Amino acid sequence: MILFLDFDGVLHPAVCTSDTELLCRRPLLESVLRECPQVEIVISSTWRESRTLPQLQALFSPDVGVRIIGITPLWQDVQDETSMGTYVRQAEIEAWLRHAGRTWEPWVALDDQPWLFRPFLPNLLRSDPVTGLTEEVCATLRQRLHGA
Ligand SMILES: [Mg+2]
């Protein structure tokens, strides 16, 4: 099971009013992930464009950070191998799965921007960009991650 993780609108409100809000939902996510040790994490957030994998891992508690195994490729590097059109983030995720040889593996994308994915995609779990992760979304996430 792989969790493709967005940051803005998930780990904090999409619009943060202060730096102290950044990553404020991280403890909530980490508590779910500790209940699901079989889950590996791949970063799909735009934060991957300006940070290395070790820098992204360091944003999390060490026991969760080591479970971040990669970042999705950038759209400009995969657009020629996909017919996904405007569903950019889903195309990046599927390219990562292809390149990793893991296309048959179950996965969940946690994201606040559903228009970056094909409509009604069952793998997408949507958070509210106004709040980021909530207990309610985490309850669904827990079920999905345990479902594999
Ligand atoms: Mg987002």
Side-chain angles (χ1 to χ4, degrees):
M1 173 65 86
I2 304 168
L3 174 65
F4 290 92
L5 182 63
D6 180 32
F7 280 18
D8 300 321
V10 176
L11 295 181
H12 45 244
V15 179
C16 286
T17 51
S18 77
D19 281 354
T20 56
E21 270 190 311
L22 284 175
L23 307 180
C24 61
R25 309 284 183 236
R26 190 196 66 182
L28 201 53
L29 177 68
E30 290 188 338
S31 69
V32 175
L33 289 171
R34 288 190 181 108
E35 293 171 32
C36 307
Q38 81 286 7
V39 175
E40 296 177 299
I41 306 151
V42 174
I43 305 300
S44 54
S45 165
T46 54
W47 283 47
R48 75 196 193 289
E49 295 168 13
S50 53
R51 291 167 183 81
T52 64
L53 180 59
Q55 286 171 334
L56 291 165
Q57 290 169 320
L59 298 172
F60 292 80
S61 301
D63 64 311
V64 174
V66 295
R67 294 166 58 187
I68 301 174
I69 59 169
I71 60 173
T72 53
L74 301 180
W75 173 244
Q76 61 262 32
D77 297 328
V78 299
Q79 57 182 324
D80 293 341
E81 54 181 273
T82 181
S83 57
M84 290 293 291
T86 59
Y87 307 124
V88 170
R89 195 150 288 178
Q90 183 179 346
E92 294 165 348
I93 287 170
E94 291 181 350
W96 186 92
L97 290 164
R98 272 198 309 279
H99 296 172
R102 299 177 70 167
T103 49
W104 301 106
E105 192 147 345
W107 57 275
V108 172
L110 189 52
D111 207 294
D112 67 321
Q113 295 181 295
W115 57 88
L116 298 176
F117 299 82
R118 198 182 291 282
F120 308 110
L121 179 74
N123 306 68
L124 175 63
L125 178 56
R126 181 182 178 180
S127 61
D128 184 338
V130 175
T131 57
L133 268 185
T134 58
E135 288 284 359
E136 191 182 5
V137 173
C138 281
T140 306
L141 177 63
R142 202 175 274 118
Q143 286 176 348
R144 298 263 194 106
L145 295 181
H146 278 309

